[in-house]
Amino acid sequence: MTESASTSSSTHNHTDSDASSGKASNDIHSESSLDASFFASAESLSVESIEPLKRTFASGRTKAYDWRIAQLTALKKLLTENTKEITKALHSDLGKSDSEAWLTEIGYSIHDVDDNIKKLKSWMKPKKVSTPMVAWPSKSFVIAEPLGVALIIGAWNYPFQLVVTPLIAAIAAGNCAVIKPSELSEATSELLSKLIPKYLDNTAFRVQEGGKDETTELLAMPFDKYFYTGGEQVGRIVMTAAAKHLAPVTLELGGKSPCVVDGETNLEVAIRRIVWGKWMNAGQTCVAPDYLLIEEKYLADFSQALIAEIKKQYSEKPKANKDYGRIINQRHCARLISYLDGVNVIHGGKHDVADCYIEPTVVIQPATDASIMQEEIFGPLLPILTFKSKQSMTSFIKSRPKPLAAYLFTSDKAFETSFIEDISAGSICVNDTNIFLANHELPFGGVGTSGMGSYHGKAGFDTFSHQKAVMKRGFRFDFAVRYAPFSKLKLMMLKRL
Ligand code: NAD
């Protein structure tokens, strides 16, 4: 099922050698992690030493509240003064519409930087804690101190926001940082490398462009924090590198996020929200519903309504619709198309690899061992699985690796409570999809194979900080019971203390 490129509304046409030779890969990350030849043609960039950044951090300058605020304010200026260029780069990389670029990347980052500026003073305040009687009189408190020089490695699907929002957290916490945007989203990577040095303190922040080779060189360097967004396989490489330096690591990974629909809920709203969460960025969202679970008896009505809503949001001709994006490159396009082999496609399936286009596609009842149910889809294909009961849906999710997000649409309070309690996932959202990311009061991160550590809002500030414990004592009282020589009486008193 192919479609001509001539109707394309997009300027996006990334090619790569494997895709043009028609070779599909079932591994979502294969080009980044395995295929060295993919990068061989790319011009190799020299990777600068991080010593100058280490010296800046050692000077103590970055710890000052005023310096942090000045950098955050400069970053906000970068965002507001370059909205057009950023939108253009995102369109070139992913065919992103202006609205999506604003909602999920630029506006999202502006909201984050504003929130950090507003709350930074209170986050930086030492937190008083109580002290046990044995150490009276004294004061105990916790200071959030910056870790040093951080390495932030981004992924291609939200290529701007996924490096800028960790950077905001790193700055707020008083760190220096090297940012390594994804090489697959070339236009955004290039723009970041142009803009960051123009706005931020060049002695504290650097952008390093490049792919596997450059990242490997960076990973050999002694950073004080490694923050990685991307696939599981490279996540293991990053964690191994961090272990060599005994440095803390945050892994923002992915996985298959399930979405359970209770057929007796408000289906009209549920379907609208599912279509929004699934097909934004052409399905290339780490928390997008990866597959749907529904009770058998509701399948026919539900799928009909789902298809009608897809047409309503993206029209009968999504290829020509400016709101519908493109796949990052031809290889990923070929990977996704290969998932359609031998499955029951009830809507969509048309594609045009040359234009990196795949129609919003719905598949029903795939085998659970089919690629589409084994690999993270990370594209515009939505499989629907049916079950006999609510309990069997929950059991199915629990039998699989812990997802980054899990969604439930229901009006049944008891089902909602048991789902929240039973399912281990990075995040759970009831009666909606990706919208939970808009709440920066909620920490965002995975669990198990979907990641470790979290960020957004205060969680981001904490992720780039060390919680330094401080106890301050005077010389006035000194309980003798703690000192040798000990006696039965001293032991008795110690137990009471
Ligand atoms: P990618 O190919 O852009 O790789 C991510 C980063 O790793 C890039 O900067 C790349 O240069 C670097 N890299 C690639 N291969 C490397 C290697 N061998 N050694 C060192 N560094 C290497 O992105 P991807 O991996 O295709 O990303 C998709 C995955 O990311 C999906 O699983 C998705 O769910 C996940 N993701 C998670 C989040 C989140 O916030 N949790 C956000 C976006 C994407």
Side-chain angles (χ1 to χ4, degrees):
M1 258 189 279
T2 58
E3 206 172 83
S4 152
S6 59
T7 56
S8 168
S9 67
S10 170
T11 55
H12 177 99
N13 64 344
H14 293 178
T15 58
D16 67 48
S17 51
D18 270 8
S20 49
S21 69
K23 196 173 91 193
S25 162
N26 278 348
D27 181 351
I28 189 171
H29 317 299
S30 55
E31 80 240 66
S32 15
S33 49
L34 301 176
D35 188 356
S37 64
F38 179 79
F39 300 100
S41 58
E43 200 180 309
S44 199
L45 299 156
S46 61
V47 179
E48 283 175 54
S49 144
I50 57 168
E51 277 315 309
L53 303 193
K54 289 258 177 188
R55 282 197 293 277
T56 302
F57 184 73
S59 75
R61 222 152 46 82
T62 69
K63 289 186 179 172
Y65 171 77
D66 287 348
W67 182 88
R68 301 186 201 193
I69 289 291
Q71 296 308 306
L72 291 172
T73 309
L75 191 49
K76 179 166 178 188
K77 208 164 168 223
L78 180 159
L79 291 159
T80 51
E81 288 182 352
N82 297 281
T83 301
K84 265 196 192 144
E85 283 88 334
I86 302 166
T87 308
K88 207 168 135 201
L90 293 168
H91 187 261
S92 158
D93 285 330
L94 289 143
K96 254 180 219 200
S97 68
D98 295 4
S99 304
E100 263 194 32
W102 178 260
L103 183 70
T104 62
E105 306 244 22
I106 308 164
Y108 188 86
S109 303
I110 292 176
H111 172 68
D112 193 35
V113 83
D114 280 343
D115 196 48
N116 273 257
I117 291 173
K118 194 168 129 205
K119 296 176 181 159
L120 186 59
K121 203 162 240 165
S122 82
W123 292 346
M124 283 176 71
K125 268 196 193 132
K127 302 279 172 297
K128 269 172 94 173
V129 294
S130 63
T131 306
M133 204 194 279
V134 72
W136 279 2
S138 56
K139 282 185 184 147
S140 301
F141 48 95
V142 182
I143 300 178
E145 77 171 6
L147 292 168
V149 181
L151 173 62
I152 297 169
I153 305 172
W156 51 263
N157 59 331
Y158 289 89
F160 190 80
Q161 185 254 105
L162 289 176
V163 290
V164 167
T165 52
L167 177 63
I168 291 169
I171 297 174
N175 297 274
C176 298
V178 172
I179 302 150
K180 214 300 289 171
S182 177
E183 69 283 12
L184 301 194
S185 38
E186 285 175 55
T188 310
S189 173
E190 203 186 317
L191 185 65
L192 280 163
S193 77
K194 197 180 91 187
L195 294 179
I196 298 271
K198 234 171 110 180
Y199 286 84
L200 297 193
D201 180 342
N202 287 304
T203 65
F205 304 105
R206 254 190 31 216
V207 180
Q208 175 65 57
E209 285 195 274
K212 179 187 165 190
D213 292 346
E214 288 76 10
T215 317
T216 306
E217 266 190 71
L218 284 171
L219 287 173
M221 295 182 189
F223 284 92
D224 303 295
K225 168 81 190 179
Y226 295 79
F227 187 103
Y228 168 78
T229 303
E232 193 183 318
Q233 209 171 350
V234 177
R236 290 174 207 275
I237 296 173
V238 173
M239 196 160 171
T240 308
K244 288 202 180 116
H245 304 294
L246 276 186
V249 59
T250 299
L251 301 178
E252 293 285 338
L253 311 178
K256 292 183 83 63
S257 297
C259 177
V260 170
V261 183
D262 176 351
E264 274 161 33
T265 189
N266 185 335
L267 281 186
E268 195 190 329
V269 177
I271 287 171
R272 195 183 306 144
R273 292 175 181 176
I274 290 168
V275 171
W276 177 78
K278 176 65 190 183
W279 282 283
M280 75 163 50
N281 202 23
Q284 301 162 109
T285 303
C286 56
V287 294
D290 185 274
Y291 61 97
L292 292 190
L293 302 105
I294 190 162
E295 282 175 79
E296 246 163 46
K297 55 185 172 187
Y298 301 112
L299 178 66
D301 288 350
F302 176 83
S303 43
Q304 249 187 352
L306 180 75
I307 293 164
E309 182 62 28
I310 294 171
K311 289 179 183 166
K312 192 169 162 199
Q313 290 192 29
Y314 293 105
S315 75
E316 296 275 353
K317 291 185 178 153
K319 192 167 191 229
N321 188 322
K322 64 177 176 31
D323 292 337
Y324 188 63
R326 292 298 183 266
I327 309 303
I328 185 68
N329 60 27
Q330 294 188 5
R331 184 203 292 253
H332 274 283
C333 218
R335 171 184 65 82
L336 288 160
I337 293 162
S338 79
Y339 293 166
L340 298 178
D341 283 349
V343 296
N344 188 1
V345 175
I346 58 158
H347 175 74
K350 292 199 195 85
H351 49 77
D352 176 358
V353 176
D355 186 29
C356 293
Y357 167 78
I358 301 181
E359 194 180 4
T361 298
V362 181
V363 167
I364 52 164
Q365 309 283 37
T368 53
D369 62 354
S371 306
I372 200 167
M373 282 310 298
Q374 288 294 318
E375 310 289 335
E376 178 184 353
I377 298 171
F378 217 50
L381 323 176
L382 183 63
I384 307 178
L385 268 70
T386 62
F387 288 83
K388 291 217 162 11
S389 68
K390 291 174 183 166
Q391 222 160 20
S392 52
M393 297 195 268
T394 313
S395 305
F396 180 77
I397 298 171
K398 283 167 75 179
S399 71
R400 311 198 120 213
K402 295 178 180 180
L404 186 56
Y407 303 107
L408 170 66
F409 286 87
T410 190
S411 305
D412 174 345
K413 289 288 163 208
F415 187 27
E416 177 187 303
T417 307
S418 71
F419 188 89
I420 295 173
E421 246 173 57
D422 275 8
I423 301 295
S424 179
S427 306
I428 287 183
C429 186
V430 176
N431 294 334
D432 211 324
T433 53
N434 318 354
I435 195 76
F436 74 91
L437 287 174
N439 185 356
H440 286 191
E441 298 294 321
L442 290 172
F444 174 62
V447 55
T449 53
S450 59
M452 64 177 67
S454 58
Y455 73 128
H456 289 185
K458 175 71 162 44
F461 177 85
D462 290 342
T463 281
F464 285 94
S465 303
H466 160 61
Q467 304 300 318
K468 184 160 70 181
V470 181
M471 183 188 277
K472 278 199 327 198
R473 299 217 56 202
F475 292 104
R476 265 193 304 145
F477 295 103
D478 210 15
F479 285 112
V481 289
R482 65 188 248 217
Y483 301 112
F486 294 113
S487 65
K488 274 194 175 159
L489 179 66
K490 277 189 172 180
L491 180 60
M492 200 179 74
M493 288 172 74
L494 265 181
K495 282 182 177 172
R496 297 195 71 181
L497 275 171

